[in-house]
Amino acid sequence: MAVAPDGTLYVNTWSGIYYNNGPVPAGGFVVALKDTHADGRADVIERFGETVASGGHGGTGLVFYNGMIYAEINDRIVRYPLAPNEVAPKGAGETVVSGLPTTGDHPMHPFLITPKGDLFVDLGSATNDCEKQNRFPHSPGNDPCTEKMTRAGIWRYDANKTDQHFSPAERFASGIRNSEGLSLDAAGRIFATQHGRDQLREDWPELYSAQQGQALPAEELVELRQGADYGWPECYFDNAQKKLALGPEYGGDGGKKIGVCAERQEPVAFFPAHWAPNDMKIYLGNTFPKAYQGGAFIAFHGSWNRAPGPQGGYNIVFQPLADGKATGAYTVFADGFAGTVKDPGRAAFRPSGLAVAPDGALFISDDVHGRIWRVTYQGGNPEAAVAAAPAPAGVAPATSSADARPPEGVHPDAGKATAALPVPKGFTPEQVALGSRVFHGEVADGTCGGCHGADGKGSPVAPDLTTGKWLWSDGSLQGLETTIKNGVPEPKAHPGAMPPMGGVVLSQADLDAVSAYVWALGHKTP
């Protein structure tokens, strides 16, 4: 999102595999929202830009600069000049940069533009950790990681020029796996978020416990410097040790070895693992209390892979900053978006984008229902301290702990709704119930629910198991068991590979049971 000087809010939208290819409203992918009644609600809503009919798939990146809206669309960044008194531009867009990579795990291109016109664009990694076989157990990392020449970093272009083309030569900084949030502070420093890697436990169970799998590695806030390397794929930030550690794909031993990581750039601040920082804005407004000015608001989209512990994030946090450094711990600024269930398939809302308006208001967007909130300060005390949001009622803690509970601690019905499920021939209801417990992490540290959702209805990285449609077998019990046992190293329709048995060790009885449970999910009566 971005806000024009007159207060009009512009929002980029995206349709694709991350959002289950849902129906797209008529009109362009970019939306203009204007409040003409000064009541805090948009009453003028206009769409513009490319459409599905013209081959568009939308995008995430969007900036208002020099009287124009710059928006990501497919593999390009396009700008739309605004005429005087125009809410949504009527003319065709001009291509600023084209040929940006769109393959792999992170095909989106968030970006920012500095006052002098430097356009910094994030190109997320194509893989989890530059493995020879993406997201597969014990797959070593490519060394050197040639992927870093074209991915996992920040590229710089000129916002005042058109018809630029992507190449490795414009790389500004590297070693950033996926930076969804980019923002400038008052001194012109550039800050960026980093999504930490996945699957330490699933891919290297002999080195990491189930608890470490959900608690490592940290999400990060970094200050961008030209030529700096922030560690990916060789390194991850260990939030328990508060330092970069060598990853197992590159000779790491579970956190003790440092190796090349001693030469990499550490973060300014760090946050719990797998919370997914999807946007970040430095607050440069002057209507919130002084304690917020110059600090960073971060939108955490919420985890999918903290199983068998509870999922976390789904909130907005505030990180105090001064002179480019953290000045204290983060505070949860706004919470309760997910409702009673913090799970990617069942969360009521998931924070995604942020924008600060000229009047100091903070906009927060959601990508489940497309809702946008406008947050203003009514306290009247400019000296008020930073305040934490009250914990939502009826929701399990968002962070893990020493006695981390499996997902059913968050989802009361998980593992308890098998009575109505069909039972495959030769099996018993008790075996289906055991399979549910494996699926939800109650037995053998199973991780199935982390990717497929606690209800089995899928997530951005794994398919819906309740439709009865199967890609890797005929849906028979034997076919499903073979798929679970062998894994899916190269998915056909989803970005997340599945390691054998979900990356854990299952006994034959547990494998039989979880196969029966998945069969039952796909054969139950609607």
Side-chain angles (χ1 to χ4, degrees):
M1 298 187 290
V3 192
D6 69 353
T8 303
L9 178 66
Y10 295 95
V11 186
N12 206 354
T13 65
W14 186 29
S15 174
I17 194 167
Y18 278 70
Y19 296 99
N20 299 315
N21 296 294
V24 179
F29 281 94
V30 189
V31 188
L33 300 143
K34 191 173 182 66
D35 170 15
T36 63
H37 299 140
D39 62 358
R41 295 181 182 274
D43 53 274
V44 176
I45 302 175
E46 299 182 21
R47 285 181 171 265
F48 63 95
E50 296 188 34
T51 65
V52 173
S54 67
H57 299 290
T60 59
L62 185 134
V63 170
F64 187 92
Y65 171 73
N66 201 22
M68 293 178 281
I69 297 115
Y70 287 67
E72 173 195 1
I73 177 80
N74 298 359
D75 67 335
R76 291 166 283 131
I77 294 174
V78 177
R79 69 185 188 189
Y80 300 90
L82 266 177
N85 301 316
E86 196 173 47
V87 175
K90 303 299 188 291
E94 304 170 324
T95 297
V96 178
V97 183
S98 62
L100 300 172
T102 58
T103 57
D105 286 1
H106 305 117
M108 60 292 289
H109 310 104
F111 62 94
L112 70 74
I113 301 175
T114 69
K116 70 176 184 178
D118 284 330
L119 189 159
F120 292 95
V121 57
D122 165 62
L123 301 179
S125 69
T127 59
N128 176 39
D129 203 53
C130 204
E131 310 99 310
K132 293 182 182 297
Q133 193 168 9
N134 188 31
R135 298 179 182 272
F136 215 68
H138 301 111
S139 178
N142 288 293
D143 193 9
C145 178
T146 56
E147 181 184 329
K148 287 175 70 173
M149 297 299 296
T150 57
R151 305 294 289 267
I154 305 295
W155 267 248
R156 179 170 61 183
Y157 296 93
D158 188 342
N160 297 305
K161 294 181 179 180
T162 57
D163 296 321
Q164 300 169 91
H165 302 279
F166 167 78
S167 79
E170 293 83 32
R171 187 176 65 175
F172 180 82
S174 65
I176 302 177
R177 180 174 175 271
N178 187 30
S179 178
E180 296 291 324
L182 297 156
S183 191
L184 290 164
D185 73 359
R189 302 180 188 90
I190 307 170
F191 291 87
T193 56
Q194 160 136 248
H195 281 234
R197 59 158 299 165
D198 303 326
Q199 295 173 289
L200 283 170
R201 160 68 177 180
E202 288 85 352
D203 290 352
W204 305 91
E206 69 278 13
L207 296 178
Y208 299 93
S209 67
Q211 182 185 343
Q212 287 176 307
Q214 72 187 55
L216 294 174
E219 311 287 32
E220 300 175 51
L221 177 67
V222 304
E223 181 186 346
L224 290 181
R225 294 186 176 92
Q226 187 168 5
D229 188 318
Y230 295 85
W232 186 91
E234 298 92 346
C235 314
Y236 64 88
F237 194 80
D238 186 314
N239 30 350
Q241 301 185 77
K242 298 181 174 58
K243 64 180 182 181
L244 288 169
L246 190 64
E249 290 81 2
Y250 293 89
D253 56 0
K256 295 178 183 178
K257 287 185 181 179
I258 304 301
V260 298
C261 306
E263 305 165 8
R264 304 298 164 84
Q265 189 71 40
E266 293 196 340
V268 171
F270 60 92
F271 309 91
H274 311 304
W275 277 22
N278 267 22
D279 204 358
M280 180 270 299
K281 290 291 183 295
I282 305 294
Y283 187 78
L284 301 179
N286 56 16
T287 57
F288 282 20
K290 293 178 184 178
Y292 290 94
Q293 292 170 20
F297 286 103
I298 304 176
F300 284 103
H301 194 229
S303 67
W304 58 269
N305 56 347
R306 289 177 64 93
Q311 302 299 338
Y314 304 89
N315 55 21
I316 308 296
V317 310
F318 176 76
Q319 173 61 55
L321 300 170
D323 296 324
K325 303 185 185 311
T327 58
Y330 73 86
T331 299
V332 176
F333 173 80
D335 206 350
F337 296 92
T340 57
V341 181
K342 287 189 174 182
D343 175 86
R346 300 174 67 188
F349 300 99
R350 302 185 73 183
S352 188
L354 296 169
V356 179
D359 66 0
L362 178 69
F363 287 101
I364 303 169
S365 72
D366 145 74
D367 63 6
V368 177
H369 297 293
R371 177 172 290 186
I372 296 171
W373 293 267
R374 177 175 177 266
V375 182
T376 60
Y377 178 60
Q378 304 296 324
N381 178 12
E383 305 300 327
V386 170
V395 180
T399 55
S400 62
S401 62
D403 58 345
R405 294 171 293 168
E408 79 276 4
V410 178
H411 318 303
D413 59 343
K416 300 177 182 176
T418 60
L421 292 178
V423 177
K425 186 176 180 180
F427 281 75
T428 67
E430 289 73 23
Q431 285 175 294
V432 174
L434 171 61
S436 175
R437 293 196 295 274
V438 174
F439 187 94
H440 293 101
E442 297 178 59
V443 172
D445 293 329
T447 61
C448 314
C451 294
H452 293 285
D455 54 4
K457 292 186 177 180
S459 78
V461 296
D464 186 338
L465 301 176
T466 67
T467 64
K469 298 178 181 179
W470 309 102
L471 293 175
W472 293 97
S473 74
D474 58 2
S476 67
L477 189 62
Q478 182 178 1
L480 292 173
E481 182 162 329
T482 299
T483 301
I484 296 170
K485 181 178 180 179
N486 295 336
V488 179
E490 297 180 1
K492 295 178 181 179
H494 294 82
M498 184 180 79
M501 300 192 194
V504 299
V505 178
L506 299 180
S507 67
Q508 186 61 49
D510 292 341
L511 176 61
D512 291 342
V514 77
S515 301
Y517 176 71
V518 173
W519 181 94
L521 289 178
H523 288 80
K524 67 180 180 181
T525 302

